[in-house]
Amino acid sequence: MGKSPRHLLGLQGLGDRAMADIVARAETIQARGARPVCAGQQAVLAFFEPSTRTSTSFALAFQRLGGQVVMLNVAQSSAQKGETLHDSLSTLLAMQPHFLVLRHGQNGGLQPLAAATETSVVNAGDGAGEHPTQALLDALTVKQIKGRLNDLTVAIVGDIRHSRVARSNAHLWRQMGSRVVMVAPPELLPDVDDYPFAFFSTDMAQGLKKADVIITLRLQKERLEKQLTISADDYHIRYGMDHEKLSYAAPDAVVLHPGPMNRGVEISSTLADDATRCAVLRQVTNGVATRMAVFEWLTHAA
Ligand code: ASP
C-alpha cells in the first residue's frame, strides 16, 4: 500500500483535470475493457444509508478490476448496538483495507479520517454534502450524448437544497466551463452563497430555457427539516419533468435522473420510460465504468 493514498471525498476543489481524467479513463475502459489494476486488493463497502445503484455498482466495478469486496451489512452491524459512526469507521480502517467506500447521513467530516489513514477513502454520498461518483457518471453520460462537457447549459431541477447530487454536479459543470441553472420552488432552492456562479429560478419555463441537460432530483424527504408547503400533486404539476416542460428546453435536451425515481412526483412515468429523452438507465450502465475509472485513478495507475 502506498504511503499517501488518494481519496475521492468530493468534486469541490478537485480540479477540472482530475475530473476529465476520470471521465476519459471510463471511456477507455468502455472501449477497450478493464485491466486488473485492483487484483489482490480489498475494498470494504459501508453504506449507512439505503442504496441500490451506488453500492451494487461500486461492488461490480471493484470486482471487474480483479479486487475483492466486503460489503458491510449495516442492519446487522454494531451501528444497531449504539456504536457511533466515528467508532464504526475507525474499526473498519483498523483492518487496513485498500479502499473504504462510504455512505452515511452526515454532511462532510471525512477529511480528518482520510488524512489519518493509508486506506483510500471514497465518498459514496454524505448527507446533503457530495456524491462525487454520481456527477462523474453524469458527465460521462452527457459526453456520450452531447460530445462535450463545456459550453453547455445544465439545469438542475427539484430538491436542490438537500441534494448531494446537485452539489457535486454544480461544481463539476462549473469547472468544466458550462453554465449551471437551478430551478426549484423557493423552499427547495439552496442558499445563493453556496452557488454564487449559478443562475436561480423558481419558474420552469424561464429556468429550462435553452437547457441542454436537465438533471431532475428526487424530493429528499429524509432530509427535510419541515413539511413542504407545496403538495406532491402541486409539485408534480409545477416542477415535475414531463414532455411538455421538456419543450421549454433546447430541442435536443436530455433528461438525467440519479435514481431512485418517484414517478408522478419529480418525473412523469412517460418521460422516465422514454429512452430517447431520458438517460436514467444509461447513467446506471455508465456508473460501473465510472467507478472502475475512479478506482484506477485512486491507484495512480497510468
Ligand atoms: N441516489 C442519489 C443519492 O444517494 C439520489 C437520491 O437518493 O435521490 O443521493
Side-chain angles (χ1 to χ4, degrees):
M1 209 182 290
K3 276 274 176 257
S4 51
R6 268 186 179 165
H7 307 287
L8 181 63
L9 304 184
L11 298 188
Q12 190 168 10
L14 182 66
D16 58 336
R17 284 180 58 184
M19 290 186 238
D21 179 8
I22 293 169
V23 173
R25 283 173 186 268
E27 288 177 302
T28 305
I29 287 169
Q30 285 184 331
R32 299 201 206 133
R35 294 173 297 140
V37 294
C38 294
Q41 304 204 349
Q42 292 163 340
V44 172
L45 270 53
F47 280 65
F48 292 86
E49 279 196 343
S51 171
T52 298
R53 277 150 290 272
T54 308
S55 56
T56 312
S57 164
F58 266 113
L60 288 176
F62 200 65
Q63 284 170 3
R64 286 182 194 174
L65 295 172
Q68 290 174 323
V69 171
V70 174
M71 184 99 71
L72 177 72
N73 182 347
V74 171
Q76 300 288 327
S77 76
S78 290
Q80 311 307 324
K81 297 184 185 172
E83 186 170 64
T84 65
L85 179 66
H86 186 270
D87 283 343
S88 294
L89 298 182
S90 304
T91 301
L92 295 172
L93 288 172
M95 295 180 213
Q96 302 181 328
H98 298 83
F99 297 91
L100 176 63
V101 179
L102 186 61
R103 167 171 291 187
H104 63 89
Q106 296 171 15
N107 295 6
L110 292 180
Q111 204 84 46
L113 189 93
T117 177
E118 290 190 11
T119 294
S120 267
V121 180
V122 185
N123 179 6
D126 62 310
E130 282 226 38
H131 193 347
T133 57
Q134 177 68 48
L136 290 164
L137 73 88
D138 292 344
L140 174 61
T141 307
V142 169
K143 182 116 183 267
Q144 290 170 348
I145 296 170
K146 299 283 168 202
R148 66 184 194 280
L149 296 175
N150 66 320
D151 197 25
L152 294 165
T153 299
V154 179
I156 304 178
V157 178
D159 187 358
I160 301 161
R161 190 172 185 81
H162 305 101
S163 173
R164 51 197 178 204
V165 174
R167 188 178 314 279
S168 291
N169 263 289
H171 289 294
L172 181 145
W173 293 110
R174 181 208 177 195
Q175 292 200 66
M176 289 299 162
S178 284
R179 294 166 288 281
V180 178
V181 184
M182 298 186 153
V183 197
E187 56 197 319
L188 295 177
L189 277 175
D191 294 336
V192 183
D193 293 347
D194 281 1
Y195 302 102
F197 52 87
F199 176 81
F200 283 35
S201 177
T202 55
D203 178 73
M204 290 289 266
Q206 181 199 48
L208 296 186
K209 210 166 161 195
K210 300 201 180 130
D212 302 296
V213 177
I214 301 166
I215 300 174
T216 308
L217 300 171
R218 179 179 68 88
L219 287 174
Q220 307 280 296
K221 294 203 184 94
E222 66 275 36
R223 288 184 233 290
L224 292 177
E225 305 91 22
K226 51 184 180 0
Q227 179 93 23
L228 286 178
T229 58
I230 188 167
S231 71
D233 284 350
D234 272 357
Y235 183 84
H236 184 64
I237 293 166
R238 293 181 53 198
Y239 294 97
M241 271 313 297
D242 53 20
H243 282 93
E244 195 187 323
K245 295 190 193 76
L246 188 51
S247 69
Y248 303 145
D252 58 351
V254 61
V255 175
L256 305 189
H257 193 303
M261 292 187 289
N262 284 162
R263 290 167 182 258
V265 184
E266 76 273 7
I267 190 164
S268 73
S269 230
T270 328
L271 180 56
D273 292 331
D274 179 358
T276 66
R277 306 306 306 272
C278 176
V280 61
L281 289 179
R282 191 159 174 174
Q283 290 170 266
V284 177
T285 303
N286 285 337
V288 182
T290 301
R291 288 169 179 127
M292 289 164 84
V294 165
F295 284 124
E296 202 187 86
W297 177 78
L298 288 168
T299 61
H300 299 240

